Amino acid sequence: MTPSRRHPARRRTATLATVPVAVAALLGAAGPAAPGGTGGPGAGDPYFPLSGNGGYHVRHYGLTLRYDTASRRLDATAVLTARATQRLTRFDLDLSGLTVTAVTVDHRAAAFRRQGQELVVTPRRAPRAGQRFRVEVAYHGTPKPVTDPDGSPDGWIPTDDGAFVAGEPQGAMTWFPADNHPKDKAAYDFTITVPQGRTAVANGVLLGQRTAHGRTTFRWRETRPMAAYLATATIGTFRTERYTTPDGIQVYNAVDPREAHAAAPVLKRLPSVLKWESALFGPYPFRAAGAIVDHAPDVGYALETQSRPLYDSAPGLDTLVHESAHQWFGDSVSLTSWKDIWLNEGFATYAEWLYAEQHGGDSAQHTFDTLYARPAGDSLWAYPPGDPGSGARIFGTPVYARGAMALHELRRAVGDRDFFRVLRAWATTHRGGHGTTAQFVRLAEEKSGKQLKGLFHTWLYTSGKPDSA
């Protein structure tokens, strides 16, 4: 995620002034279970305790959405295919607002009730541990964003011509029932119907579109595992382009006409940016790529929605590099806890530094030195990036800038050869799965042959301004 230039105080970057995992590993990512056959109401995250759920793992979401841009009404059906990790006499889904009219489990009507952001489902027959089951939820209403702990909007955000749909960290639950934590990743199919003249853009590959009776239906598919917060169904009046890169990546760009002139020169750089990042981090992890450039002046950030980042306005090149790098670091290799967010934002920020260094800009060392020159009382040193302390801090300057500085200190400690081996190994070893800070530290020590725990403790977990080597 990166901030809009119109909102420099929010979710800063640190730029200048500022082999596939086995399916078993994914199944093991389900949240903690409650006793007595009840799935837990959260995945155990200390910053967002009600995000995600326990007792099952979702393998696939089928989302059928019909959105009227004039009334802002959403009519929808979600079909979740899941696997129980325990016997489930009752389980939860995350869903904020909206009216649920029916729930079935394995085609049988199920009892349900609302409890805050939880949709609590009691099936007629409890799925057994290891059993696959199907949940269908019919719902409707006017989706509204949630307000995150840092005061920013998140989720289904209405715009003057549709909706800007950005789910980090909580917002997926504003438009579909989900196991809403990065620990649970699934494949997705989207069928989105909007008024003729509007375009609906989601993740993955566009399977087709059809217009009839004044409405157009778009079908999208993302087959690679995706966390719920990375899903989008952004709707607006867009100019679109499609092409395939020499590496076979299917690119789809959707740009609001009001942003088209400013966005064009940056979007032309996308294939070369992806090629450069692939050379550093390993093969691009998805079949599709592209950008959604909306005109959403009140949002204030861009987001690394999987396979197709979402921008609230025409991005600069640094932002394009940042959100593209997230396709490896954050999207393909996902978090198991939001306190490890530096693994996403520190890495994407350092990609910006590397890109500048290798394309005629400042060296990463110069950028590091510029940041390190800030006084001890600067916000950069306000809290350690490896454990920001709360959900209100996960998009703050230390996570981005000091997280990137930690990577630069690693580079200085082990040398370029081993450093880039570590980055590539991290992206490839955990491809399609998850990673933790502890795993990254072990990998760095393994690849470099050096003891690095002290370095990471200093730069990730020590309060205040560290002593630089």
Side-chain angles (χ1 to χ4, degrees):
M1 178 179 286
T2 50
S4 166
R5 296 295 181 262
R6 288 188 291 265
H7 300 262
R10 185 186 178 279
R11 299 189 180 185
R12 286 182 206 277
T13 65
T15 306
L16 301 177
T18 60
V19 164
V21 174
V23 171
L26 293 176
L27 297 181
T38 301
D45 194 281
Y47 291 176
F48 299 95
L50 289 179
S51 290
N53 300 288
Y56 63 91
H57 162 65
V58 182
R59 304 174 66 96
H60 181 267
Y61 290 87
L63 304 178
T64 301
L65 313 172
R66 182 184 178 97
Y67 188 65
D68 184 85
T69 53
S71 66
R72 296 183 172 176
R73 178 185 169 97
L74 176 69
D75 291 279
T77 301
V79 177
L80 287 66
T81 304
R83 178 183 180 273
T85 57
Q86 63 166 80
R87 184 171 181 268
L88 283 177
T89 58
R90 192 176 75 224
F91 59 89
D92 288 24
L93 294 167
D94 298 312
L95 185 65
S96 174
L98 304 173
T99 299
V100 175
T101 56
V103 178
T104 65
V105 177
D106 290 333
H107 303 284
R108 297 181 177 90
F112 63 90
R113 60 183 172 85
R114 307 300 296 274
Q115 185 173 321
Q117 70 181 54
E118 303 295 310
L119 172 62
V120 184
V121 179
T122 303
R124 287 189 182 181
R125 295 183 181 178
R128 303 180 304 277
Q131 178 184 334
R132 289 192 185 189
F133 63 101
R134 177 186 185 275
V135 182
E136 181 171 336
V137 181
Y139 59 101
H140 65 82
T142 303
K144 294 181 174 62
V146 295
T147 300
D148 291 329
D150 66 355
S152 60
D154 174 17
W156 191 284
I157 304 171
T159 60
D160 60 3
D161 60 354
F164 182 98
V165 183
E168 189 179 28
Q170 305 178 88
M173 66 181 178
T174 67
W175 60 284
F176 68 98
D179 191 5
N180 191 21
H181 192 277
K183 288 202 295 187
D184 198 21
K185 298 169 71 169
Y188 283 73
D189 278 279
F190 306 83
T191 301
I192 310 168
T193 300
V194 294
Q196 185 174 354
R198 300 292 197 270
T199 299
V201 191
N203 312 84
V205 174
L206 178 64
L207 301 181
Q209 65 185 75
R210 181 177 62 87
T211 299
H213 309 296
R215 292 187 172 271
T216 304
T217 298
F218 297 82
R219 295 187 300 116
W220 295 89
R221 174 170 294 165
E222 174 55 274
T223 59
R224 303 294 171 87
M226 180 168 72
Y229 82 88
L230 296 169
T232 191
T234 292
I235 297 162
T237 303
F238 294 121
R239 297 177 185 173
T240 64
E241 67 170 341
R242 301 174 67 180
Y243 61 89
T244 302
T245 71
D247 295 329
I249 301 169
Q250 298 181 48
V251 176
Y252 185 103
N253 293 328
V255 182
D256 188 295
R258 292 167 288 187
E259 303 290 341
H261 178 74
V266 176
L267 294 185
K268 286 181 180 178
R269 305 287 291 275
L270 178 60
S272 65
V273 168
L274 294 179
K275 183 177 181 180
W276 174 80
E277 291 180 333
S278 296
L280 283 186
F281 310 141
Y284 181 72
F286 307 117
R287 292 178 56 199
I292 308 168
V293 182
D294 208 345
H295 180 76
D298 295 327
V299 170
Y301 59 87
L303 180 64
E304 61 271 18
T305 42
Q306 186 160 307
S307 76
R308 188 161 296 108
L310 175 61
Y311 305 95
D312 70 330
S313 60
L317 181 58
D318 54 348
T319 302
L320 185 82
V321 170
H322 184 106
E323 303 303 336
S324 297
H326 273 310
Q327 303 307 303
W328 285 265
F329 305 116
D331 293 11
S332 177
V333 184
S334 298
L335 303 173
T336 61
S337 173
W338 283 109
K339 82 177 175 58
D340 278 343
I341 186 68
W342 87 276
L343 289 170
N344 293 7
E345 301 302 348
F347 281 52
T349 299
Y350 199 69
E352 293 183 61
W353 298 13
L354 292 172
Y355 190 87
E357 178 177 84
Q358 297 182 21
H359 292 83
D362 289 335
S363 69
Q365 184 64 53
H366 180 272
T367 305
F368 178 97
D369 291 341
T370 300
L371 288 163
Y372 190 76
R374 294 183 179 185
D378 189 86
S379 62
L380 173 61
W381 319 114
Y383 50 87
D387 190 358
S390 73
R393 292 177 165 182
I394 61 175
F395 301 115
T397 302
V399 170
Y400 289 69
R402 188 168 159 182
M405 294 173 84
L407 290 174
H408 190 70
E409 286 288 84
L410 171 64
R411 182 183 176 187
R412 293 170 64 183
V414 305
D416 277 12
R417 177 178 175 272
D418 284 344
F419 176 74
F420 288 108
R421 286 179 64 214
V422 169
L423 287 191
R424 191 178 182 94
W426 179 250
T428 55
T429 302
H430 295 272
R431 185 182 176 99
H434 299 82
T436 67
T437 298
Q439 288 173 324
F440 181 73
V441 173
R442 287 196 296 270
L443 179 68
E445 291 185 329
E446 173 190 325
K447 295 298 180 184
S448 68
K450 296 189 175 185
Q451 294 295 317
L452 299 167
K453 290 184 177 64
L455 181 154
F456 283 108
H457 175 76
T458 296
W459 281 91
L460 296 180
Y461 298 109
T462 301
S463 298
K465 183 176 180 177
D467 292 331
S468 180

